[in-house]
Amino acid sequence: MAHPSQLGFQDAASPIMEELLHFHDHALMAVFLISTLVLYIITVMMTTKLTNTNAMDAQEIEMVWTIMPAIILIVIALPSLRILYLMDEINDPHLTVKAIGHQWYWSYEYTNYNDLVFDSYMTPTQNLSPGEFRLLEVDNRMVVPMESPIRMLISAEDVLHSWAMPSMGIKTDAIPGRLNQTTFIASRPGIFYGQCSEICGANHSFMPIVVETTPLKHFQSWSSSMQE
């Protein structure tokens, strides 16, 4: 999870988030190269008294500063489009979970099971156990198996919400009357934290999201205990 004074992204917990981190570094390198070139040109023009009048009308220079930005945009756009298609692709999900936003809590329905439905409320500060995080812990975590394709169906009961899990690379709006879909694969076991990312009223800051990823046998034990 994020920590104070953190400047970068959270550690990736899914292949899509790893791709997003790589693309961020790729785009940032292009920005650094452009910024360095522009700073060098500005510095040279401000510090030298020599000017070449022929350079002001040179067709070659005009071609360079027209074609180079186009090439840079293509270099940035192609990996971006690839990731967009990867994020929308859903191949044979092993589990489908429906997340419904309410004011101000989440409810989860495991559609592969007959009776596995529960609400997830923020744990009050006075009820926190040692080591738990204030404003981020919930009474019922969403548990999913690791290394399995998970399909999320996201909607809302009352107003706009947004189901966001930064370490998974997910941020999907929850809209009343509309069912949005996203997918992820947890690459490692752990507990991952997110929050509603759409201003949804007075207690918007108090509807966290907690996803716990476990090996398949532990998930099966948990699902059996929740249905008893």
Side-chain angles (χ1 to χ4, degrees):
M1 63 173 291
H3 56 79
S5 74
Q6 179 175 332
L7 298 179
F9 291 99
Q10 297 183 25
D11 292 338
S14 69
I16 288 296
M17 189 59 191
E18 292 178 4
E19 293 286 344
L20 290 172
L21 289 177
H22 293 157
F23 174 70
H24 170 265
D25 296 340
H26 170 76
L28 202 60
M29 184 56 65
V31 171
F32 282 152
L33 292 175
I34 295 170
S35 302
T36 302
L37 177 61
V38 172
L39 182 62
Y40 170 75
I41 293 174
I42 292 175
T43 303
V44 169
M45 292 187 67
M46 293 183 64
T47 56
T48 182
K49 296 181 180 179
L50 301 176
T51 56
N52 188 347
T53 55
N54 294 328
M56 299 299 179
D57 300 320
Q59 295 296 322
E60 294 81 3
I61 293 180
E62 291 189 9
M63 290 181 61
V64 168
W65 70 43
T66 301
I67 295 175
M68 282 299 294
I71 295 175
I72 293 171
L73 288 176
I74 292 172
V75 168
I76 293 176
L78 291 180
S80 174
L81 291 173
R82 173 178 169 271
I83 295 175
L84 282 175
Y85 279 103
L86 287 175
M87 294 176 71
D88 285 339
E89 190 170 342
I90 299 177
N91 292 322
D92 190 23
H94 296 175
L95 180 67
T96 299
V97 183
K98 185 178 180 181
I100 302 176
H102 308 266
Q103 288 183 312
W104 286 272
Y105 65 96
W106 294 95
S107 60
Y108 297 99
E109 302 176 11
Y110 287 69
T111 60
N112 300 79
Y113 296 84
N114 291 329
D115 189 22
L116 186 48
V117 181
F118 58 87
D119 296 329
S120 180
Y121 289 87
M122 186 192 74
T123 303
T125 303
Q126 62 270 20
N127 296 338
L128 289 175
S129 302
E132 293 184 338
F133 299 103
R134 177 178 172 269
L135 301 183
L136 288 177
E137 196 57 64
V138 296
D139 55 356
N140 292 308
R141 296 170 177 169
M142 184 186 117
V143 182
V144 295
M146 58 178 285
E147 297 178 343
S148 298
I150 309 298
R151 175 171 58 188
M152 292 294 304
L153 302 176
I154 300 169
S155 185
E157 182 78 15
D158 35 44
V159 299
L160 290 175
H161 300 279
S162 183
W163 201 87
M165 184 59 56
S167 55
M168 300 284 186
I170 297 176
K171 183 181 182 296
T172 303
D173 288 342
I175 303 171
R178 179 172 178 175
L179 204 60
N180 287 330
Q181 179 176 257
T182 188
T183 183
F184 69 90
I185 300 176
S187 55
R188 56 189 170 89
I191 300 173
F192 307 100
Y193 297 89
Q195 289 178 301
C196 176
S197 296
E198 187 74 48
I199 297 176
C200 56
N203 292 332
H204 159 67
S205 302
F206 307 113
M207 50 183 303
I209 303 161
V210 182
V211 175
E212 182 176 351
T213 60
T214 64
L216 181 58
K217 61 179 181 179
H218 293 159
F219 171 76
Q220 292 173 334
S221 300
W222 172 84
S223 60
S224 299
S225 64
M226 290 292 289
Q227 290 181 290
E228 291 177 355

